[in-house]
Amino acid sequence: MGRPCCYKQKLRKGLWSPEEDEKLINHITKYGHGCWSSVPKLAALQRCGKSCRLRWINYLRPDLKRGTFSQQEENLIIQLHSLLGNKWSQIASRLPGRTDNEIKNLWNSSIKKKLRQKGIDPDTHNKLLSVVENEEKVSAISMNIEKASEGSGELNFVESHENSNYGIQTDKPKSSLVTMTMDGYPSNTTTSAAPLTHEFFLERFVTTHETSTASCNKPLELASYLSFRQLNYGSNIGLSMNSNTNNLLFNSKNSEMFTHQFNSTITNDNILTSPIAAVASNDSMRNGNSTSIELQRNSSFFDSNAFSWGTADYDKSEKEANIHPSVTDPEDIKWFEYLHTQLLPGNAITNNQITQDLYSEKSSIQFTTQGSLSTWLQNQQQQPSLQTANIYNKHSQRIPDAFGQFS
DNA sequence: AACAAATTCAACCGCGCGCTA
DNA sequence: CTAGCGCGCGGTTGAATTTGT
């Protein structure tokens, strides 16, 4: 339980003197810190072990970066905070050379203020809503994608960042479907743009499943590969549809800083444990001219840490979810190596993990919407570069692959 | 120049978790 | 099973510094 660490008398408190710093540095560089509680004695310091530890971690460690935070670092912090909340140590683990204390201070002293000035609630990362916007937040987000080119047979969608907070358009709905409707033919519909940043996927998905299970009358194999980068809230994610394969493709362009990816196979059986519950439109909805996909945030999945950015959590989720990192992009390789060498010691890639070229130029998320495994498998054979043999198994288990990348 | 207010940030505090006896 | 202990985390404090008047 919590105890005052400096209950013993004669222990110094407050700022450290250069002499004390020197003693601590000399001791740790010679012998390592070992048991922190024994450090003060061994280093001849009138401090408690806790104080020594803090001083070393936050100030004396040789690998600290120091200096002001770059804009990229700030963006990354905001992004990670939107995902992790006040998990400063987890956020710090993604920022080499930065400490949780430093990040926490930056957040409280600077970033919070900046976000508020932009009309963003730093706690929720949602726009501070007017009453009207508040009403909007409970309604479904709908996207109607107009067929852009009959010749190419592709549908294109480019997100709009208007009225959105770095890509987040509305407050997190308490319970509503996130619905994307693709109209595959030019006869109808306008385009109502909605944000497609990773927050869109991670935060917009709601917590109920009633509709999904009710409307899903056949298994849907959803193989998704999603890359989220560019933390400056300027991500450029497109959506297109290939009429030949009936695949819906998300394309993330201009990616620079950040990657999140996952592969999932979702069926009725595992829909409640998948990172994104994808609901195949039923036949009445799929009238040949349009396909509707409803995506839901699955609270049980997210809240159980199966989806996580933490090192320990990554390890956990990897074991639980049979994760298959799949990276070939040089930037991602860099991150991937970093993740597994720096952040995940002992968590090397296992031989059943694939390292296929999942994206060479663009990052994409691919949904197979035909509701049959054969479609997906056939598509994989046609696209060896997207081969993800382990995405589907006979048990239709989810295979999320979650990790981030920053440069 | 002097003072006050605001900001920064190092350090402390208390709690919870995991390990061990 | 439980208590003791060490450690790490997140929240908070307050001294030092900067900025504004």
Side-chain angles (χ1 to χ4, degrees), chain A residues 92-129:
Chain A
S93 70
R94 273 79 175 182
L95 285 130
R98 301 296 189 182
T99 70
D100 53 353
N101 206 37
E102 203 176 6
I103 292 167
K104 183 171 57 183
N105 283 333
L106 179 75
W107 180 265
N108 288 325
S109 67
S110 174
I111 294 179
K112 258 186 172 179
K113 201 183 303 172
K114 287 180 184 174
L115 289 179
R116 286 207 181 95
Q117 283 172 353
K118 290 181 180 178
I120 297 167
D121 184 343
D123 296 324
T124 63
H125 293 261
N126 294 319
K127 178 170 277 186
L128 299 169
L129 297 172

Side-chain angles (χ1 to χ4, degrees), chain A residues 21-37:
Chain A
D21 282 346
E22 195 180 344
K23 283 182 180 178
L24 186 59
I25 291 171
N26 286 340
H27 174 75
I28 291 180
T29 50
K30 271 186 182 176
Y31 309 108
H33 60 73
C35 175
W36 280 112
S37 56

